[in-house]
């Protein structure tokens, strides 16, 4: 017992000294010290007892007493270890009065004493809300978050404890549809321009054209209703002729309609030139968590009102406060000066004077009523304040506006060039600290390194070109003329290379000939050019220079598209000629296996259209449909959800062909379908897989996009059999020896009926005939609707002979497409070559017989 008393007394003394010295609870080192002292003391006692045993040869009863004392000391010291584990618990009991801690833990039946002192309780804690965590400033010290237990409140009715987070009358939380609304995500800036109706097509239109690419929204406020203004502008009429009240109508409209959508609001008149790029850059560096009334102080730097002519920036929080005092602002607007009226309103509502500095960035504006660009620009261009200005006021004519736009565009280009050069130098300096060492960064500096193909199948293509043609542009083309964008692209690169060579060598050089040109598009970095140029100087001395250029990829932008869904009902129209009855039966049988499983009546309808060109065919229509009707009846019995209808369409054979029939078919169904019907027209030779219809629903967008998929066309079956063992011709394998993606055919069409009706209106206004060209060409040349063209492996067309004689005189472009289909659709080059080689002996024998 004496041993135990000494151990405990030593521990208590150590704990007391630690608490007194540090005035805080730091017990973990204390625990380590206690264990260390305990081990040393026990070791010392054991060695002492062993020495006494051997030297004095004590009697057995004394040895037994000592051993019992040692055992008891070990047991009691180990029993103290759980109590010492309090030192490991960050929520120590000594951090608060013992009585309150005792009451809070033992008064609640759900929290036990062991839970309070369990150091690992945080690992198995119950779900909690964000308000349970207390955040502190961790900028100046290491911060460890502490999780506080739920606050307990005494219920006066049943005298029991309950948590404040639980309520008997909990209301259901309604979450918004979009996560951006729930998180309060807003767009950056809205610009409101106060203008006049007669200036919408001049000053306001200039601001709209130069500023719309840099801000999220532009609104133009006028004081009367007008109809004659550019379509790209958003104009709002304020029906009040009192000009001094116009800003308050604008502020009220912005606060009620737009305050939840934007962070910053900019107000300015239409005779103020504003730099969109500089404005966007300026607002990106300012925190949105502050109340801000920013602009250029009027006349005096100590003025409290921001001059309206130089533009005013308001934060959303200030605009919300203005809405609360908008009646006071309207009643006290006695001045004709808009600067005074707006400033007095902001001062009353937000208690803010005008400021031109926020987040260490200064709002600069140039105001000069005698400003003349030609006379003043040489002097002002040397001023850094003018080059950094955001607005210039006032501007009295559009010519000055255009000159300012050109000048500041050049200023921004010079700043970007200087910034790029600085970044390049920094990258080159930092490359020395990289594992590769100095000088091993890819060219050009700052552009991602070239793509490294993992296999030989991923090697990027190099296109060889000269000034007029491109060689081996595709796998099927040997040489093709350089037209359109390719021509402009190559000659722009040549001109740029020539300008750089003249700048480098300070010699006037002219291009004599492009010897060689190589172009490669790398999807990770851009387009790479290598060119050999033959140049001549003023003395007609020729030089050959190899240049290497890179056109890097620009900023990737996400283009917003209208919402589409896979639940849209699709109407599949299958035009069938009289000689295609057996082909239609094969289509129905294949569709029964692959297409009709997932489609229901409310999502899919099949319309069989018999194309009739003569009176005899028209009289035989009912008899002609009997075979198809029997097959459809079998389908309806097995698939009760299937909707199939029959139609007969008479086409004038003299004015239409199979390649221009789509317009006449759509005219027939225009009276049977609604205008918002999604239609897909194809031919009976095609095999359609189930996933294609969903792709069609997503790729066709009303008033935006039409879908012309590229189907996989089968080669001649007899030629395929010669090189590939094919036992069944009912299915088409997707293989290069079986067929090809026919990009010359446009007989698979997906569109909305409303888009076709709009196309007809445009054709009538332009006096263009429907039968003059294919529906694809009409959409491309007449409308603004986008066309989606892409290979689709779910569309596979069986081989059938292609006849081109009927369209030889009607449409030259379609005739050339038909010839290409007939030539390339027979077989691949290798298969045709094998047939020629195999027939060579036969030809020689026939030639010998003939001789």
């Amino acid at each position: 017992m004496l041993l135990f008393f000494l151990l405990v007394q030593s521990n208590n003394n150590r704990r007391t000294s630690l608490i007194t010295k540090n005035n805080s609870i730091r017990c973990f080192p204390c625990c380590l010290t206690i264990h260390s002292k305990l081990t040393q003391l026990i070791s010392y006692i054991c060695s002492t007892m062993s020495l006494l045993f051997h030297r004095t040869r004590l009697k057995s009863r004394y040895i037994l007493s000592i051993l019992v004392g040692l055992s008891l000391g070990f047991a009691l010291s180990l029993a103290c270890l759980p109590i010492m584990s309090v030192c490991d618990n960050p929520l120590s009991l000594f951090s608060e009065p013992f009585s309150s801690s005792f009451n809070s833990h033992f008064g609640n039946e759900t929290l036990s004493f062991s839970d309070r002192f369990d150091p690992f309780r945080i690992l198995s804690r119950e779900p909690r809300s964000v308000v349970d965590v207390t955040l502190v400033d961790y900028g100046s010290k290491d911060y460890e978050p502490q999780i506080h237990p739920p606050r307990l409140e005494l219920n006066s009715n049943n005298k029991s404890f309950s948590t404040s987070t639980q309520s008997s009358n909990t209301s259901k939380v309604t979450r918004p549809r979009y996560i951006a609304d729930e998180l309060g995500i807003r767009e950056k800036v809205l610009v409101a321009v106060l203008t006049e109706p007669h200036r919408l097509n001049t000053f306001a239109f200039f601001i709209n054209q130069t500023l719309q690419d840099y801000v999220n929204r532009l609104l133009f406020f006028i004081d009367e209703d007008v109809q004659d203004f550019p379509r790209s502008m958003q104009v709002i009429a304020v029906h009040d002729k009192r000009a001094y009240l116009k800003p308050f109508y604008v502020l009220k409209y912005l606060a009620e309609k737009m305050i939840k959508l934007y962070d910053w609001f900019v107000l300015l008149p239409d005779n103020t030139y504003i730099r969109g790029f500089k404005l966007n850059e300026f607002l990106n560096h300012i925190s949105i968590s502050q109340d801000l009334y920013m602009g250029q102080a009027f006349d005096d730097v100590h003025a409290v009102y921001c001059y309206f002519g130089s533009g005013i920036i308001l934060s959303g929080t200030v605009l919300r406060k203005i809405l609360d005092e908008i009646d006071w602002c309207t009643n006290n607007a006695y001045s004709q000066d808009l600067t005074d009226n707006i400033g007095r309103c902001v001062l009353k509502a937000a208690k803010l004077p005008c400021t031109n500095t926020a987040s260490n960035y200064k709002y600069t504006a140039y105001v000069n009523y005698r400003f003349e660009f030609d006379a003043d620009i040489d002097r002002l261009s040397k001023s850094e304040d003018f080059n950094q200005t955001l607005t210039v006021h006032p501007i009295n004519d559009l010519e000055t506006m255009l000159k300012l736009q050109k000048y500041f565009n050049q200023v921004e280009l010079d700043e970007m060039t200087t910034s790029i050069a600085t970044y390049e130098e920094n990258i080159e300096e930092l490359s020395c600290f990289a594992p590769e060492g100095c000088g091993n960064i890819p060219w050009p500096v700052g552009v991602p390194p070239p793509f490294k193909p993992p296999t030989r199948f991923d090697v990027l293509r190099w296109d060889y070109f000269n000034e007029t043609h491109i060689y081996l542009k595709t796998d099927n083309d040997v040489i093709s003329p350089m037209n359109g964008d390719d021509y402009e692209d190559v000659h722009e690169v040549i001109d740029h290379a020539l300008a750089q060579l003249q700048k480098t060598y300070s010699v006037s050089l002219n291009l004599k000939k492009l010897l060689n040109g190589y172009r490669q598009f790398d999807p990770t970095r851009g387009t790479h050019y290598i060119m050999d140029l033959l140049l001549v100087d003023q003395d007609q001395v020729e030089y050959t220079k190899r240049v290497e250029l890179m056109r890097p990829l620009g900023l990737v932008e996400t283009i917003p598209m209208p919402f589409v869904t896979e639940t849209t009902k699709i109407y599949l129209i299958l035009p069938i000629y009289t000689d295609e009855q057996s082909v239609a039966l094969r289509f129905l049988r294949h569709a029964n296996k692959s297409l009709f499983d997932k489609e229901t009546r409310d999502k899919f309808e099949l319309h069989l259209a018999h194309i009739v060109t003569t009176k005899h065919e028209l009289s035989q229509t009912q008899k002609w449909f009997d075979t198809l009707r029997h097959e459809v009846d079998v389908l309806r019995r097995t698939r009760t959800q299937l909707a199939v209808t029959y139609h007969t369409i008479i086409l004038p054979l003299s004015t239409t062909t199979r390649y221009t029939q789509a317009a006449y078919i759509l005219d027939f169904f225009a009276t049977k379908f609604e205008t918002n019907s999604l239609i897909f027209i194809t031919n009976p030779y095609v095999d359609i897989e189930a996933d294609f219809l969903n792709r069609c629903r997503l790729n066709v967008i009303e008033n935006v996009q039409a879908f012309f998929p590229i189907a996989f066309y089968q080669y001649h079956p007899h030629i395929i059999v010669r090189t590939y063992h094919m036992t069944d011709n009912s299915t088409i394998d997707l293989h290069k020896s079986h067929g090809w993606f026919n990009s010359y055919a446009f007989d698979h069409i997906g569109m909305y009926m409303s888009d076709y009706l709009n196309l007809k209106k445009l054709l009538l206004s332009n006096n263009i005939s429907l039968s003059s060209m294919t529906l694809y060409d009409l959409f491309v040349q007449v409308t603004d609707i986008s066309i989606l063209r892409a290979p689709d492996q779910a569309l596979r067309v069986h081989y059938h002979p292609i006849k081109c004689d009927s369209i030889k005189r009607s449409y030259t472009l379609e005739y050339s497409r038909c010839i290409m289909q007939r030539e390339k659709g027979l077989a691949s080059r290798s298969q045709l070559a094998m047939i020629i080689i195999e027939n060579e002996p036969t030809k020689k024998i026939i030639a010998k017989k003939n001789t």
Side-chain angles (χ1 to χ4, degrees):
M1 296 301 293
L2 179 61
L3 175 63
F4 171 72
F5 175 77
L6 292 175
L7 292 175
V8 175
Q9 184 64 31
S10 175
N11 293 344
N12 291 336
N13 292 338
R14 179 60 176 172
R15 180 186 296 276
T16 304
S17 63
L18 283 173
I19 295 177
T20 304
K21 180 178 179 180
N22 297 329
N23 195 22
S24 61
I25 309 300
R26 298 184 180 274
C27 301
F28 186 67
C30 169
C31 297
L32 294 179
T33 306
I34 292 173
H35 285 271
S36 178
K37 295 294 184 180
L38 178 63
T39 305
Q40 294 177 5
L41 184 59
I42 293 175
S43 177
Y44 174 76
I45 293 174
C46 292
S47 60
T48 303
M49 292 298 102
S50 177
L51 182 62
L52 291 175
F53 176 77
H54 289 289
R55 290 189 176 183
T56 60
R57 301 180 183 272
L58 296 175
K59 294 184 179 181
S60 60
R61 62 176 178 270
Y62 298 108
I63 296 174
L64 182 60
S65 301
I66 293 173
L67 293 177
V68 170
L70 288 174
S71 301
L72 184 60
F74 275 115
L76 293 177
S77 62
L78 293 175
C80 294
L81 292 180
I83 299 179
M84 296 176 188
S85 67
V86 176
C87 302
D88 296 335
N89 194 347
L91 301 175
S92 178
L93 183 66
F94 298 99
S95 61
E96 59 184 6
F98 180 79
S99 59
S100 61
S101 177
F102 180 85
N103 293 333
S104 64
H105 287 86
F106 288 93
N108 188 0
E109 297 178 357
T110 60
L111 296 176
S112 63
F113 188 83
S114 61
D115 290 334
R116 174 65 176 177
F117 296 105
D118 181 11
F120 301 104
R121 183 171 61 87
I122 189 174
L123 300 179
S124 60
R125 62 180 180 268
E126 295 296 326
R128 59 186 176 83
S129 63
V130 180
V131 297
D132 296 330
V133 181
T134 302
L135 300 179
V136 300
D137 182 17
Y138 54 86
S140 59
K141 60 182 179 179
D142 294 336
Y143 171 68
E144 293 293 337
Q146 297 182 359
I147 300 175
H148 299 282
R151 185 164 53 90
L152 302 180
E153 297 179 354
L154 183 62
N155 192 336
S156 59
N157 295 331
N158 53 11
K159 303 298 182 180
S160 62
F161 289 92
S162 63
T163 61
S164 61
T165 58
Q166 296 176 351
S167 176
S168 58
N169 298 324
T170 57
S171 60
K172 183 180 179 181
V173 178
T174 303
R175 301 188 64 181
R177 179 175 182 180
Y178 300 103
I179 191 172
D181 297 336
E182 185 171 2
L183 298 179
I185 299 175
R186 297 182 294 270
E187 296 189 59
K188 177 63 68 176
V189 58
L190 181 147
V191 177
V193 181
L194 276 66
T195 182
E196 301 295 334
H198 65 278
R199 298 163 72 99
L200 284 176
N201 291 282
T202 54
F203 286 89
F205 180 72
F206 178 86
I207 294 177
N208 183 72
Q209 294 299 105
T210 57
L211 197 60
Q212 63 179 349
D213 293 334
Y214 299 101
V215 300
N216 301 107
R217 195 166 185 178
L218 261 172
L219 297 179
F220 296 89
F221 291 86
I222 58 177
D223 52 10
E224 63 183 52
D225 293 330
V226 294
Q227 300 295 333
D228 183 19
F229 61 88
R231 294 178 57 186
S232 60
M233 298 174 60
Q234 299 185 40
V235 180
I236 300 173
V238 177
H239 298 91
D240 197 323
K241 295 296 183 180
R242 293 172 293 181
Y244 66 95
L245 293 180
K246 190 175 182 180
F248 303 116
Y249 285 104
V250 174
L251 293 174
K252 187 173 185 297
Y253 179 87
L254 297 178
E256 292 179 346
K257 305 290 185 180
M258 304 295 174
I259 196 169
K260 294 182 179 180
L261 304 177
Y262 302 94
D263 291 327
W264 302 105
F265 298 87
V266 180
L267 279 71
L268 72 156
D270 61 355
N271 64 340
T272 297
Y273 173 79
I274 182 170
R275 299 172 61 184
F277 177 81
K278 206 69 179 178
L279 176 66
N280 195 10
E281 182 183 31
F282 179 77
L283 293 178
N284 284 335
H285 291 88
I286 300 178
S287 174
I288 63 173
S289 61
Q290 55 184 324
D291 293 348
L292 199 63
Y293 169 48
M294 175 174 280
Q296 180 80 17
F298 182 64
D299 290 339
D300 186 7
V301 294
H302 302 291
V304 295
Y305 297 161
C306 292
Y307 181 45
F308 175 70
S310 60
I312 298 175
I313 298 178
L314 296 175
S315 62
T317 54
V318 171
L319 189 61
R320 186 175 288 106
K321 294 177 181 179
I322 291 176
L323 181 61
D324 298 335
E325 300 290 341
I326 196 69
D327 293 335
W328 184 94
C329 297
T330 305
N331 296 330
N332 291 271
Y334 50 81
S335 174
Q336 295 297 324
D337 190 351
L338 302 185
T339 299
D340 292 343
N341 292 337
I342 298 175
R344 190 182 303 108
C345 181
V346 175
L347 191 62
K348 167 64 177 177
K351 308 295 189 296
L352 289 176
C354 178
T355 181
N356 65 346
T357 305
S359 302
N360 296 326
Y361 285 87
K362 186 178 180 180
Y363 184 100
T364 57
Y366 180 77
V367 179
N368 186 356
Y369 284 89
R370 298 180 179 179
F371 172 69
E372 293 184 5
F373 182 87
D374 296 331
D376 300 338
I377 194 60
D378 291 336
R379 173 180 55 85
L380 294 174
S381 62
K382 302 175 183 178
S383 172
E384 186 64 24
D385 291 338
F386 181 77
N387 291 334
Q388 298 299 323
T389 188
L390 287 173
T391 60
V392 179
H393 177 85
I395 307 299
N396 299 319
D397 57 90
L398 283 178
E399 184 179 359
T400 303
M401 283 271 195
L402 292 171
K403 291 179 180 179
L404 283 173
Q405 177 72 12
K406 181 180 179 180
Y407 172 78
F408 283 114
N409 284 344
Q410 186 62 45
V411 170
E412 291 163 4
L413 286 175
D414 295 340
E415 291 178 355
M416 290 182 183
T417 303
T418 305
S419 178
I420 290 173
T422 304
Y423 289 142
E424 288 180 351
E425 293 177 0
N426 293 336
I427 292 174
E428 291 177 354
E429 293 176 0
L430 294 175
S431 66
C432 297
F433 300 97
E436 296 81 4
C438 299
N440 289 321
I441 55 177
W443 180 89
V445 179
V447 177
F451 171 75
K452 294 182 180 180
T455 63
R456 63 186 179 90
F457 302 102
D458 301 317
V459 176
L460 300 179
R461 173 194 295 271
W462 281 92
D463 296 329
Y464 179 80
F465 61 88
N466 56 24
E467 296 183 56
T468 57
H469 290 78
I470 299 179
Y471 297 84
L472 301 175
K473 185 178 181 181
T474 64
D475 294 335
N476 299 322
D477 298 328
V478 178
I479 182 173
S480 58
M482 190 184 301
N483 298 320
D485 295 337
D486 287 333
Y487 183 86
E488 295 179 2
D489 174 65
V490 169
H491 283 76
E492 182 182 0
V493 171
I494 293 175
D495 294 340
H496 181 77
L498 187 61
Q500 293 298 318
L501 289 173
Q502 292 178 347
K503 182 179 179 181
T504 302
Y505 296 105
S506 300
V507 179
S508 178
L509 299 173
N510 295 318
L511 177 68
K512 184 176 182 180
K513 184 180 180 181
L514 174 63
L515 299 177
N516 301 294
Y518 305 91
R519 181 179 67 177
Q520 181 194 64
F521 175 71
D522 191 332
T524 62
R525 62 201 309 256
T527 306
H528 192 191
Y529 302 88
I530 298 176
M531 298 184 299
D532 296 328
L533 304 177
L534 182 60
L535 309 172
V536 293
D537 60 6
Q538 296 176 350
D539 300 329
Q540 299 302 314
V541 179
E542 295 184 353
Y543 301 91
T544 301
K545 293 293 183 181
R546 167 162 286 193
V547 294
E548 187 175 0
L549 301 97
M550 167 64 64
R551 190 191 294 272
L553 292 175
L555 179 65
V556 179
E557 299 181 5
T558 302
I559 301 176
M561 295 294 287
F563 177 75
V564 291
T565 177
E566 295 182 353
T567 60
T568 305
K569 186 174 183 178
I570 187 170
Y571 297 87
L572 178 60
I573 301 175
L574 191 71
I576 310 169
Y577 279 83
T578 303
D579 57 348
E580 296 175 342
Q581 189 180 59
S582 60
V583 180
L585 289 174
R586 181 175 59 187
F587 172 86
L588 293 174
R589 290 164 185 167
H590 183 273
N592 187 30
K593 299 177 182 178
S594 61
L595 191 63
F596 298 149
D597 289 335
K598 300 180 181 180
E599 301 299 334
T600 57
R601 186 183 298 269
D602 58 341
K603 292 179 57 179
F604 175 79
E605 283 188 15
L606 176 61
H607 295 263
L608 304 177
H610 182 205
I611 307 300
V612 175
T613 58
T614 62
K615 294 182 178 180
H616 177 72
E617 291 179 355
L618 181 61
S619 62
Q620 299 295 323
T621 298
Q622 294 298 327
K623 183 179 179 181
W624 183 88
F625 269 122
D626 288 341
T627 306
L628 292 179
R629 190 176 291 109
H630 174 73
E631 187 70 25
V632 171
D633 291 340
V634 174
L635 292 176
R636 285 173 174 172
R637 286 196 298 268
T638 57
R639 303 181 183 277
T640 57
Q641 81 283 3
L642 189 62
V644 182
T645 58
Y646 305 92
H647 307 275
T648 301
I649 303 176
I650 303 176
L651 293 183
L653 187 60
S654 59
T655 59
T656 183
T657 64
R658 294 196 179 190
Y659 300 96
T660 58
Q661 69 176 3
Y664 293 94
I665 294 174
L666 289 173
D667 282 338
F668 175 82
F669 285 101
T671 58
K672 301 180 181 298
F673 297 157
E674 297 180 356
T675 56
N676 60 345
S677 300
L678 173 58
I679 299 168
F680 182 74
I681 304 176
T682 184
N683 59 54
Y685 296 94
V686 70
D687 289 345
I688 303 179
E689 304 299 331
D691 57 342
F692 172 77
L693 294 183
N694 284 337
R695 240 183 339 269
C696 184
R697 293 182 177 105
L698 297 178
N699 291 333
V700 182
I701 306 174
E702 190 173 8
N703 298 325
V704 176
Q705 182 170 280
F707 185 38
F708 287 80
I710 301 175
F712 184 79
Y713 278 64
Q714 185 188 31
Y715 289 142
H716 199 294
H718 295 290
I719 299 179
I720 298 176
V721 172
R722 297 172 68 98
T723 58
Y724 187 87
H725 181 67
M726 184 176 64
T727 58
D728 185 12
N729 191 33
S730 61
T731 60
I732 304 173
D733 294 334
L734 191 68
H735 193 271
K736 65 178 182 179
S737 63
H738 285 199
W740 64 304
F741 283 102
N742 185 1
S743 60
Y744 301 97
F746 299 92
D747 49 356
H748 310 282
I749 308 169
M751 69 176 69
Y752 276 89
M753 180 60 75
S754 59
D755 294 334
Y756 173 72
L757 297 178
N758 293 333
L759 172 65
K760 284 191 63 177
K761 294 179 182 178
L762 293 174
L763 294 177
L764 291 174
S765 61
N766 295 317
N767 197 19
I768 300 175
S769 175
L770 276 172
S771 59
S772 60
M773 59 187 73
T774 62
L775 204 59
Y776 168 81
D777 295 318
L778 290 174
F779 269 105
V780 171
Q781 297 183 18
V782 179
T783 69
D784 296 331
I785 293 180
S786 302
I787 303 296
L788 179 61
R789 280 285 275 171
D792 200 310
Q793 61 180 3
L795 285 180
R796 305 181 187 184
V797 181
H798 290 268
Y799 177 80
H800 58 282
I802 299 176
K803 300 177 182 179
C804 304
D805 297 335
S806 60
I807 59 173
K808 185 175 182 179
R809 298 179 180 179
S810 59
Y811 191 24
T812 306
L813 177 59
E814 189 58 36
Y815 177 73
S816 62
R817 291 172 181 166
C818 184
I819 294 298
M820 296 298 294
Q821 293 183 66
R822 192 170 62 181
E823 292 179 356
K824 296 186 176 184
L826 186 62
S828 64
R829 293 183 179 181
S830 59
Q831 291 171 332
L832 294 176
M834 290 298 297
I835 294 175
I836 294 174
I837 293 173
E838 291 175 0
N839 292 334
E840 282 295 330
T842 307
K843 289 183 179 180
K844 291 180 180 180
I845 295 173
I846 295 174
K848 288 180 180 181
K849 290 181 179 180
N850 294 333
T851 57

